Amino acid sequence: MSEIKLIHRFLVILQRFIDVGVLFVFCSLQLPCGHRCKEICHSGSCPLNCNQKVKLRCLCKRLKKEVQCSKIQEGQVSLECDALCKEMKRKAYEIKEAEAKAALEEEKRRQQAELEAFENRLKGRRKNKRRKDEVEVEQSSWQKYKNLIMLPVFGVAVVMVAWLMVYND
């Protein structure tokens, strides 16, 4: 058999199934909601209400519910967060706040430590400058040698006073 005869035979059998009602061909048009039409191939426009089940979730995505697409499109159904969702959201917010506060305190501690280290380095430099200043100040000759001169002079004066006291009497 040739290919053309084979294809023709297949189409004849397919047409018999469609005529008898055993084989259904679904409509392939897209509804306004984005789903495909689920009706058997028909003439005219597709129905506006989509009966396909879709999952609806609350804002925090913890709760979910299956509803018909058409009810969502019409705005008849909405899923609100319950008390548990709100409690979980509040706890998450508190945890975030605590983490932010801890990070801020850690940053303050780090800055304080850095400031103290800088001040300690500065203090060390000041001490070194003072030592250099003291070393650089030159003493006069009198200041250098006054102990060496005064000690023998006082010694001679004491000896003379003692000698005068012994020989004057």
Side-chain angles (χ1 to χ4, degrees), residues 36-122:
R36 295 218 178 263
C37 179
K38 296 290 182 181
E39 301 290 325
I40 297 172
C41 193
H42 56 85
S43 60
S45 63
C46 297
L48 292 176
N49 59 345
C50 177
N51 293 327
Q52 188 165 344
K53 297 273 185 177
V54 292
K55 290 179 183 174
L56 180 65
R57 293 186 174 267
C58 67
L59 290 175
C60 70
K61 303 204 184 304
R62 190 183 75 82
L63 299 175
K64 68 179 177 180
K65 182 180 179 181
E66 282 195 6
V67 294
Q68 285 183 348
C69 179
S70 61
K71 290 185 179 179
I72 293 174
Q73 295 295 321
E74 294 169 4
Q76 293 177 353
V77 179
S78 65
L79 189 58
E80 299 294 327
C81 290
D82 63 357
L84 185 59
C85 290
K86 291 177 183 176
E87 181 67 23
M88 288 173 65
K89 191 183 236 182
R90 186 185 60 78
K91 284 183 181 179
Y93 177 76
E94 288 174 355
I95 290 171
K96 254 188 199 176
E97 284 291 315
E99 288 174 353
K101 187 176 180 183
L104 185 63
E105 288 177 5
E106 180 63 30
E107 179 66 20
K108 283 183 181 178
R109 268 190 247 118
R110 188 186 64 74
Q111 287 178 352
Q112 184 65 31
E114 189 176 313
L115 179 65
E116 288 173 0
F118 179 75
E119 287 176 349
N120 287 340
R121 279 185 284 173
L122 250 163

Coordinates of all heavy atoms in Angstrom, one line a residue, residues 36-122:
R36 N -7.7 26.6 28.7 CA -8.3 26.2 27.4 C -9.8 25.8 27.7 O -10.1 25.3 28.7 CB -7.6 25.0 26.9 CG -6.1 25.4 26.5 CD -5.8 24.6 25.2 NE -4.4 25.0 24.8 CZ -4.2 25.9 23.9 NH1 -5.2 26.5 23.3 NH2 -3.0 26.2 23.5
C37 N -10.6 25.9 26.6 CA -12.0 25.5 26.7 C -12.1 24.0 26.9 O -11.4 23.3 26.2 CB -12.7 26.0 25.4 SG -14.5 25.5 25.4
K38 N -12.9 23.5 27.8 CA -13.0 22.1 28.0 C -14.2 21.4 27.3 O -14.5 20.3 27.5 CB -13.2 21.8 29.6 CG -12.0 22.3 30.4 CD -10.8 21.4 30.1 CE -9.6 21.8 31.0 NZ -8.5 21.0 30.8
E39 N -14.9 22.2 26.5 CA -16.1 21.7 25.8 C -15.6 20.9 24.6 O -14.5 21.1 24.1 CB -17.0 22.9 25.3 CG -17.5 23.7 26.5 CD -18.5 23.0 27.3 OE1 -19.3 22.2 26.8 OE2 -18.5 23.3 28.5
I40 N -16.6 20.0 24.1 CA -16.3 19.3 22.9 C -16.4 20.3 21.8 O -17.1 21.3 21.9 CB -17.4 18.1 22.7 CG1 -17.2 17.1 23.8 CG2 -17.2 17.5 21.4 CD1 -18.3 16.1 23.9
C41 N -15.6 20.0 20.7 CA -15.6 21.0 19.6 C -17.0 21.5 19.3 O -17.9 20.7 19.1 CB -14.9 20.3 18.4 SG -14.4 21.5 17.2
H42 N -17.1 22.8 19.2 CA -18.4 23.4 19.0 C -18.3 24.6 18.1 O -17.2 25.1 17.8 CB -19.0 23.9 20.4 CG -18.1 24.8 21.1 ND1 -18.1 26.1 20.9 CD2 -17.2 24.6 22.1 CE1 -17.2 26.7 21.7 NE2 -16.6 25.8 22.4
S43 N -19.5 25.1 17.6 CA -19.5 26.2 16.8 C -19.8 27.4 17.7 O -20.4 27.3 18.7 CB -20.5 26.1 15.7 OG -21.8 25.9 16.2
G44 N -19.5 28.6 17.3 CA -19.8 29.8 18.1 C -18.7 30.1 19.1 O -17.6 29.5 19.1
S45 N -19.1 31.0 20.0 CA -18.1 31.4 21.1 C -18.1 30.4 22.2 O -19.1 29.7 22.5 CB -18.4 32.8 21.6 OG -19.6 32.8 22.2
C46 N -17.0 30.4 22.9 CA -16.8 29.5 24.1 C -17.5 30.1 25.3 O -17.7 31.3 25.4 CB -15.3 29.3 24.4 SG -14.4 28.5 23.1
P47 N -17.9 29.2 26.3 CA -18.6 29.8 27.5 C -17.6 30.7 28.3 O -16.4 30.4 28.2 CB -19.0 28.5 28.2 CG -18.1 27.4 27.7 CD -17.8 27.8 26.3
L48 N -18.1 31.7 28.9 CA -17.3 32.6 29.7 C -16.8 32.0 31.0 O -15.8 32.5 31.5 CB -18.0 33.9 29.8 CG -18.2 34.7 28.6 CD1 -19.0 36.0 28.8 CD2 -16.9 35.1 27.9
N49 N -17.6 31.1 31.6 CA -17.3 30.6 32.9 C -16.4 29.4 32.8 O -16.7 28.4 32.1 CB -18.5 30.3 33.8 CG -19.4 29.3 33.1 OD1 -19.3 29.0 32.0 ND2 -20.3 28.8 33.9
C50 N -15.2 29.5 33.4 CA -14.2 28.4 33.4 C -14.4 27.6 34.7 O -14.4 28.1 35.8 CB -12.8 29.0 33.4 SG -11.5 27.8 33.5
N51 N -14.6 26.3 34.5 CA -14.9 25.4 35.6 C -13.6 24.7 36.1 O -13.7 23.8 36.9 CB -15.9 24.3 35.2 CG -17.3 25.0 35.0 OD1 -17.6 26.0 35.6 ND2 -18.0 24.5 34.1
Q52 N -12.5 25.0 35.6 CA -11.2 24.4 36.0 C -10.9 24.8 37.4 O -11.1 26.0 37.9 CB -10.1 24.8 35.1 CG -8.9 24.0 35.4 CD -7.9 24.1 34.2 OE1 -8.2 24.5 33.1 NE2 -6.6 23.7 34.5
K53 N -10.5 23.8 38.2 CA -10.1 24.1 39.6 C -8.7 24.7 39.7 O -7.8 24.2 39.0 CB -10.1 22.8 40.4 CG -11.4 22.1 40.5 CD -12.2 22.6 41.7 CE -13.5 21.8 41.9 NZ -14.2 22.3 43.0
V54 N -8.6 25.7 40.5 CA -7.3 26.4 40.7 C -7.0 26.5 42.2 O -8.0 26.6 43.0 CB -7.2 27.7 40.0 CG1 -7.2 27.6 38.5 CG2 -8.3 28.7 40.4
K55 N -5.7 26.7 42.5 CA -5.4 26.8 43.9 C -5.3 28.3 44.3 O -4.7 29.1 43.6 CB -4.0 26.2 44.2 CG -4.1 24.7 44.2 CD -2.7 24.1 44.5 CE -2.8 22.6 44.3 NZ -1.5 21.9 44.5
L56 N -6.0 28.7 45.3 CA -6.0 30.1 45.8 C -5.3 30.1 47.1 O -5.5 29.2 48.0 CB -7.5 30.5 46.0 CG -7.7 31.9 46.5 CD1 -7.2 32.9 45.5 CD2 -9.2 32.2 46.8
R57 N -4.4 31.0 47.3 CA -3.5 31.1 48.5 C -3.8 32.5 49.2 O -4.1 33.4 48.5 CB -2.1 31.0 48.2 CG -1.7 29.6 47.7 CD -0.2 29.5 47.5 NE 0.2 28.1 47.1 CZ 0.5 27.2 48.0 NH1 0.5 27.5 49.3 NH2 0.8 26.0 47.6
C58 N -3.6 32.4 50.5 CA -3.6 33.7 51.3 C -2.4 34.5 51.0 O -1.5 34.1 50.3 CB -3.8 33.4 52.8 SG -2.4 32.7 53.5
L59 N -2.3 35.7 51.5 CA -1.2 36.6 51.2 C 0.1 36.1 51.7 O 1.1 36.3 51.0 CB -1.5 38.0 51.9 CG -2.6 38.8 51.2 CD1 -2.8 40.1 52.0 CD2 -2.2 39.2 49.8
C60 N 0.2 35.4 52.8 CA 1.4 34.9 53.3 C 1.7 33.5 52.7 O 2.8 33.0 53.1 CB 1.4 34.9 54.8 SG 0.3 33.6 55.6
K61 N 0.8 33.0 51.9 CA 1.0 31.7 51.2 C 1.0 30.5 52.2 O 1.5 29.4 51.8 CB 2.3 31.7 50.4 CG 2.3 32.9 49.4 CD 3.1 32.6 48.2 CE 3.2 33.7 47.2 NZ 2.1 34.2 46.7
R62 N 0.5 30.6 53.4 CA 0.4 29.5 54.3 C -0.8 28.7 54.0 O -0.8 27.5 54.0 CB 0.4 30.0 55.7 CG 0.6 28.8 56.7 CD 0.5 29.4 58.2 NE -0.9 29.7 58.5 CZ -1.8 28.8 59.0 NH1 -1.5 27.5 59.0 NH2 -3.0 29.2 59.3
L63 N -2.0 29.3 53.8 CA -3.2 28.7 53.5 C -3.5 28.5 52.0 O -3.1 29.4 51.3 CB -4.4 29.5 54.1 CG -4.4 29.7 55.6 CD1 -5.5 30.6 56.0 CD2 -4.5 28.3 56.4
K64 N -4.1 27.4 51.6 CA -4.5 27.2 50.2 C -5.8 26.5 50.1 O -6.2 25.7 51.0 CB -3.4 26.5 49.4 CG -3.2 25.1 49.8 CD -2.2 24.4 48.9 CE -1.9 23.0 49.3 NZ -0.9 22.4 48.5
K65 N -6.5 26.8 49.0 CA -7.9 26.3 48.9 C -8.1 26.1 47.4 O -7.7 27.0 46.6 CB -8.9 27.3 49.5 CG -10.3 26.9 49.4 CD -11.2 28.0 50.0 CE -12.6 27.7 50.0 NZ -13.4 28.8 50.6
E66 N -8.8 25.1 47.0 CA -9.1 24.8 45.6 C -10.5 25.4 45.3 O -11.4 25.0 46.0 CB -9.0 23.4 45.2 CG -7.6 22.9 45.0 CD -7.5 21.5 44.3 OE1 -8.6 21.0 43.9 OE2 -6.4 21.0 44.2
V67 N -10.6 26.2 44.3 CA -11.9 26.8 43.9 C -12.0 26.9 42.4 O -11.0 26.7 41.7 CB -12.1 28.2 44.5 CG1 -12.2 28.2 46.0 CG2 -11.0 29.1 44.1
Q68 N -13.2 27.1 41.8 CA -13.3 27.2 40.4 C -12.8 28.6 39.9 O -12.9 29.6 40.6 CB -14.8 27.2 40.0 CG -15.4 25.8 40.1 CD -16.9 25.8 39.7 OE1 -17.5 26.9 39.5 NE2 -17.4 24.6 39.5
C69 N -12.2 28.5 38.8 CA -11.5 29.7 38.2 C -12.5 30.8 38.0 O -12.2 32.0 38.2 CB -10.9 29.3 36.9 SG -10.1 30.7 36.0
S70 N -13.7 30.5 37.5 CA -14.8 31.5 37.3 C -15.1 32.3 38.5 O -15.4 33.5 38.5 CB -16.0 30.8 36.7 OG -16.6 29.9 37.5
K71 N -15.1 31.6 39.7 CA -15.5 32.3 40.9 C -14.4 33.3 41.3 O -14.7 34.4 41.8 CB -15.7 31.3 42.1 CG -16.9 30.5 41.9 CD -17.2 29.6 43.1 CE -18.5 28.8 42.8 NZ -18.8 27.9 44.0
I72 N -13.1 33.0 41.0 CA -12.0 33.9 41.3 C -12.1 35.1 40.3 O -12.0 36.3 40.7 CB -10.7 33.2 41.1 CG1 -10.5 32.2 42.2 CG2 -9.5 34.3 41.2 CD1 -9.3 31.4 42.1
Q73 N -12.4 34.8 39.0 CA -12.6 35.9 38.0 C -13.7 36.9 38.4 O -13.6 38.1 38.2 CB -12.8 35.3 36.6 CG -11.7 34.5 36.1 CD -10.4 35.3 35.8 OE1 -10.5 36.4 35.4 NE2 -9.3 34.7 36.2
E74 N -14.8 36.3 38.9 CA -15.9 37.2 39.3 C -15.7 37.9 40.6 O -16.4 38.8 41.0 CB -17.2 36.3 39.4 CG -17.6 35.7 38.1 CD -18.7 34.7 38.2 OE1 -19.2 34.5 39.3 OE2 -19.1 34.1 37.2
G75 N -14.6 37.5 41.4 CA -14.4 38.1 42.7 C -15.2 37.6 43.8 O -15.4 38.3 44.8
Q76 N -15.8 36.4 43.6 CA -16.7 35.9 44.7 C -15.9 35.3 45.8 O -16.4 35.2 46.9 CB -17.6 34.8 44.1 CG -18.6 35.4 43.1 CD -19.5 34.2 42.5 OE1 -19.2 33.1 42.7 NE2 -20.5 34.6 41.7
V77 N -14.7 34.8 45.5 CA -13.9 34.1 46.5 C -12.6 34.8 46.8 O -12.0 35.2 45.9 CB -13.6 32.6 46.1 CG1 -12.8 31.9 47.1 CG2 -14.9 31.9 45.8
S78 N -12.3 34.9 48.1 CA -10.9 35.4 48.4 C -10.5 34.6 49.7 O -11.4 34.2 50.5 CB -10.9 36.9 48.7 OG -11.8 37.2 49.8
L79 N -9.3 34.5 49.9 CA -8.8 33.7 51.1 C -7.9 34.7 51.9 O -6.9 35.2 51.4 CB -7.9 32.5 50.6 CG -7.5 31.5 51.7 CD1 -8.7 31.0 52.4 CD2 -6.7 30.4 51.0
E80 N -8.4 35.0 53.1 CA -7.7 35.9 54.0 C -6.8 35.1 55.0 O -7.1 34.0 55.3 CB -8.7 36.7 54.8 CG -9.6 37.6 53.9 CD -8.9 38.7 53.2 OE1 -7.9 39.2 53.7 OE2 -9.3 39.0 52.1
C81 N -5.8 35.8 55.4 CA -4.9 35.2 56.4 C -5.7 35.0 57.7 O -6.5 35.9 58.1 CB -3.7 36.0 56.7 SG -2.5 36.0 55.3
D82 N -5.5 33.9 58.5 CA -6.1 33.7 59.7 C -5.2 34.2 60.9 O -4.2 34.8 60.7 CB -6.5 32.2 59.9 CG -5.3 31.3 60.0 OD1 -4.2 31.8 59.8 OD2 -5.5 30.1 60.2
A83 N -5.7 33.9 62.1 CA -4.9 34.4 63.3 C -3.5 33.8 63.4 O -2.6 34.5 63.8 CB -5.7 34.1 64.6
L84 N -3.4 32.5 63.0 CA -2.1 31.9 63.0 C -1.1 32.5 62.0 O 0.0 32.7 62.3 CB -2.2 30.4 62.7 CG -1.0 29.5 62.9 CD1 -0.4 29.6 64.3 CD2 -1.3 28.1 62.5
C85 N -1.6 32.9 60.8 CA -0.8 33.6 59.8 C -0.3 34.9 60.4 O 0.8 35.2 60.3 CB -1.6 33.8 58.6 SG -2.0 32.4 57.6
K86 N -1.2 35.6 61.0 CA -0.9 36.9 61.6 C 0.2 36.8 62.7 O 1.1 37.6 62.8 CB -2.1 37.7 62.0 CG -3.0 38.1 60.9 CD -4.3 38.7 61.3 CE -5.2 39.1 60.1 NZ -6.4 39.6 60.5
E87 N 0.0 35.8 63.5 CA 0.9 35.5 64.6 C 2.3 35.2 64.1 O 3.3 35.7 64.6 CB 0.4 34.4 65.5 CG 1.3 34.1 66.7 CD 1.4 35.2 67.7 OE1 0.4 36.0 67.8 OE2 2.4 35.2 68.5
M88 N 2.3 34.4 63.1 CA 3.6 34.0 62.4 C 4.3 35.2 61.8 O 5.5 35.4 61.9 CB 3.4 32.9 61.4 CG 3.1 31.5 62.0 SD 2.7 30.3 60.8 CE 4.2 30.2 59.9
K89 N 3.5 36.1 61.2 CA 4.0 37.3 60.6 C 4.6 38.2 61.6 O 5.6 38.8 61.5 CB 2.9 38.0 59.8 CG 3.3 39.1 58.9 CD 2.1 39.8 58.3 CE 2.3 39.8 56.8 NZ 1.2 40.4 56.1
R90 N 3.9 38.3 62.8 CA 4.3 39.2 63.9 C 5.6 38.6 64.5 O 6.6 39.4 64.7 CB 3.3 39.2 65.0 CG 3.6 40.2 66.1 CD 2.6 40.2 67.2 NE 2.5 38.9 67.8 CZ 3.4 38.4 68.7 NH1 4.4 39.1 69.1 NH2 3.2 37.2 69.3
K91 N 5.7 37.3 64.6 CA 7.0 36.7 65.2 C 8.1 36.9 64.2 O 9.3 37.3 64.6 CB 6.8 35.2 65.4 CG 6.0 35.0 66.7 CD 5.8 33.5 66.9 CE 5.0 33.2 68.2 NZ 4.8 31.8 68.4
A92 N 7.9 36.8 62.9 CA 8.9 37.0 61.9 C 9.4 38.5 62.0 O 10.6 38.7 61.9 CB 8.4 36.6 60.6
Y93 N 8.5 39.4 62.2 CA 8.8 40.8 62.3 C 9.7 41.1 63.5 O 10.7 41.8 63.5 CB 7.6 41.6 62.3 CG 7.8 43.1 62.4 CD1 8.3 43.9 61.4 CD2 7.6 43.8 63.7 CE1 8.5 45.2 61.5 CE2 7.9 45.1 63.8 CZ 8.3 45.8 62.7 OH 8.6 47.2 62.9
E94 N 9.3 40.4 64.6 CA 10.1 40.6 65.9 C 11.5 40.1 65.7 O 12.4 40.7 66.2 CB 9.3 39.9 67.0 CG 8.1 40.7 67.5 CD 7.3 39.9 68.5 OE1 7.7 38.8 68.9 OE2 6.3 40.5 69.0
I95 N 11.6 38.9 65.1 CA 12.9 38.3 64.9 C 13.8 39.2 64.0 O 14.9 39.5 64.3 CB 12.8 36.9 64.3 CG1 12.2 35.9 65.3 CG2 14.1 36.4 63.7 CD1 11.8 34.6 64.7
K96 N 13.2 39.8 63.0 CA 13.9 40.7 62.1 C 14.4 41.9 62.9 O 15.5 42.4 62.7 CB 13.0 41.1 60.9 CG 13.4 40.5 59.6 CD 12.6 41.1 58.5 CE 12.6 40.2 57.3 NZ 11.8 40.7 56.2
E97 N 13.5 42.5 63.7 CA 13.8 43.6 64.5 C 15.0 43.3 65.4 O 15.9 44.1 65.6 CB 12.6 44.1 65.3 CG 11.6 44.9 64.4 CD 12.1 46.2 64.0 OE1 12.7 47.0 64.8 OE2 11.9 46.5 62.8
A98 N 14.9 42.1 66.1 CA 15.9 41.8 67.0 C 17.3 41.6 66.3 O 18.3 42.0 66.8 CB 15.6 40.5 67.7
E99 N 17.3 41.0 65.1 CA 18.5 40.8 64.4 C 19.1 42.2 64.0 O 20.3 42.4 64.0 CB 18.2 40.0 63.1 CG 18.0 38.5 63.4 CD 17.6 37.7 62.2 OE1 17.4 38.3 61.1 OE2 17.6 36.5 62.3
A100 N 18.2 43.1 63.6 CA 18.6 44.4 63.2 C 19.2 45.2 64.4 O 20.3 45.8 64.2 CB 17.5 45.2 62.6
K101 N 18.6 45.0 65.5 CA 19.1 45.7 66.7 C 20.4 45.1 67.1 O 21.3 45.9 67.5 CB 18.0 45.5 67.9 CG 18.3 46.3 69.1 CD 17.3 46.2 70.1 CE 17.6 46.9 71.4 NZ 16.5 46.8 72.4
A102 N 20.5 43.8 67.1 CA 21.8 43.2 67.4 C 22.9 43.6 66.5 O 24.1 43.9 66.9 CB 21.7 41.6 67.4
A103 N 22.6 43.7 65.2 CA 23.6 44.1 64.2 C 24.0 45.6 64.5 O 25.2 45.9 64.4 CB 23.0 44.0 62.8
L104 N 23.1 46.4 64.9 CA 23.4 47.8 65.2 C 24.3 47.9 66.4 O 25.3 48.7 66.4 CB 22.1 48.6 65.4 CG 22.2 50.1 65.6 CD1 22.8 50.7 64.3 CD2 20.9 50.7 65.9
E105 N 24.0 47.1 67.4 CA 24.8 47.1 68.7 C 26.2 46.6 68.4 O 27.2 47.2 68.9 CB 24.1 46.3 69.7 CG 22.9 47.0 70.3 CD 22.2 46.1 71.4 OE1 22.7 45.0 71.7 OE2 21.1 46.5 71.8
E106 N 26.3 45.6 67.6 CA 27.6 45.0 67.2 C 28.4 46.1 66.4 O 29.6 46.2 66.7 CB 27.4 43.8 66.3 CG 28.7 43.1 65.9 CD 29.5 42.6 67.1 OE1 29.0 42.3 68.1 OE2 30.8 42.7 66.9
E107 N 27.8 46.8 65.6 CA 28.4 47.9 64.8 C 28.9 49.0 65.7 O 30.0 49.5 65.6 CB 27.5 48.4 63.7 CG 28.1 49.6 62.9 CD 29.2 49.1 62.0 OE1 29.3 47.9 61.7 OE2 30.0 50.0 61.6
K108 N 28.1 49.3 66.7 CA 28.5 50.3 67.7 C 29.7 49.9 68.5 O 30.6 50.6 68.8 CB 27.3 50.7 68.6 CG 26.3 51.6 68.0 CD 25.2 51.9 69.0 CE 24.2 52.8 68.4 NZ 23.1 53.2 69.4
R109 N 29.7 48.6 69.0 CA 30.8 48.0 69.7 C 32.0 48.0 68.9 O 33.1 48.4 69.4 CB 30.4 46.6 70.2 CG 29.8 46.6 71.5 CD 29.7 45.1 72.1 NE 28.3 44.8 72.1 CZ 27.7 43.9 71.4 NH1 28.4 43.0 70.7 NH2 26.4 43.7 71.5
R110 N 31.9 47.7 67.6 CA 33.1 47.6 66.8 C 33.7 49.0 66.6 O 34.9 49.2 66.6 CB 32.7 47.0 65.4 CG 33.9 46.8 64.5 CD 33.5 46.3 63.1 NE 32.7 47.3 62.4 CZ 33.2 48.4 61.8 NH1 34.5 48.7 61.9 NH2 32.4 49.3 61.2
Q111 N 32.8 50.0 66.4 CA 33.3 51.4 66.2 C 33.9 51.9 67.5 O 34.9 52.6 67.4 CB 32.1 52.3 65.8 CG 31.6 52.1 64.4 CD 30.5 53.0 64.0 OE1 29.9 53.6 64.9 NE2 30.1 53.0 62.8
Q112 N 33.3 51.5 68.7 CA 33.9 52.0 69.9 C 35.3 51.4 70.1 O 36.2 52.0 70.6 CB 33.0 51.6 71.1 CG 33.4 52.1 72.4 CD 33.4 53.6 72.6 OE1 32.6 54.2 71.9 NE2 34.3 54.1 73.4
A113 N 35.4 50.1 69.8 CA 36.7 49.4 69.9 C 37.8 50.1 69.0 O 38.9 50.3 69.4 CB 36.6 47.9 69.6
E114 N 37.3 50.4 67.8 CA 38.2 51.0 66.8 C 38.6 52.4 67.3 O 39.8 52.8 67.2 CB 37.5 51.1 65.5 CG 38.3 51.6 64.4 CD 37.6 51.6 63.0 OE1 36.9 50.6 62.7 OE2 37.7 52.6 62.3
L115 N 37.7 53.1 67.9 CA 38.0 54.5 68.5 C 39.0 54.4 69.6 O 39.9 55.1 69.7 CB 36.7 55.2 68.9 CG 36.9 56.5 69.5 CD1 37.4 57.5 68.5 CD2 35.5 57.0 70.1
E116 N 38.8 53.4 70.5 CA 39.7 53.2 71.6 C 41.1 52.9 71.2 O 42.1 53.4 71.7 CB 39.1 52.2 72.6 CG 37.9 52.6 73.4 CD 37.3 51.5 74.2 OE1 37.8 50.4 74.2 OE2 36.3 51.8 74.9
A117 N 41.2 52.0 70.2 CA 42.5 51.6 69.6 C 43.2 52.8 69.0 O 44.4 53.0 69.2 CB 42.3 50.5 68.6
F118 N 42.4 53.6 68.3 CA 43.0 54.8 67.7 C 43.5 55.8 68.8 O 44.6 56.3 68.7 CB 42.0 55.5 66.8 CG 42.5 56.8 66.2 CD1 43.3 56.7 65.1 CD2 42.0 58.0 66.7 CE1 43.8 57.9 64.5 CE2 42.5 59.2 66.1 CZ 43.4 59.1 65.0
E119 N 42.7 56.0 69.9 CA 43.1 56.9 71.0 C 44.3 56.4 71.7 O 45.2 57.1 72.0 CB 41.9 57.1 71.9 CG 40.8 57.9 71.4 CD 39.6 58.0 72.3 OE1 39.5 57.3 73.3 OE2 38.7 58.9 72.1
N120 N 44.4 55.0 71.9 CA 45.6 54.5 72.5 C 46.8 54.7 71.7 O 47.9 55.0 72.2 CB 45.4 53.0 72.8 CG 44.4 52.7 73.9 OD1 44.2 53.6 74.7 ND2 43.8 51.5 73.9
R121 N 46.7 54.6 70.4 CA 47.8 54.8 69.5 C 48.2 56.3 69.6 O 49.4 56.6 69.6 CB 47.5 54.4 68.1 CG 47.6 53.0 67.8 CD 47.4 52.7 66.4 NE 46.0 52.8 66.2 CZ 45.3 52.7 65.0 NH1 46.0 52.6 63.9 NH2 44.0 52.8 65.0
L122 N 47.3 57.2 69.7 CA 47.5 58.6 69.8 C 48.2 58.9 71.1 O 49.2 59.7 71.1 CB 46.2 59.4 69.7 CG 46.1 60.2 68.4 CD1 44.6 60.6 68.1 CD2 47.0 61.4 68.4

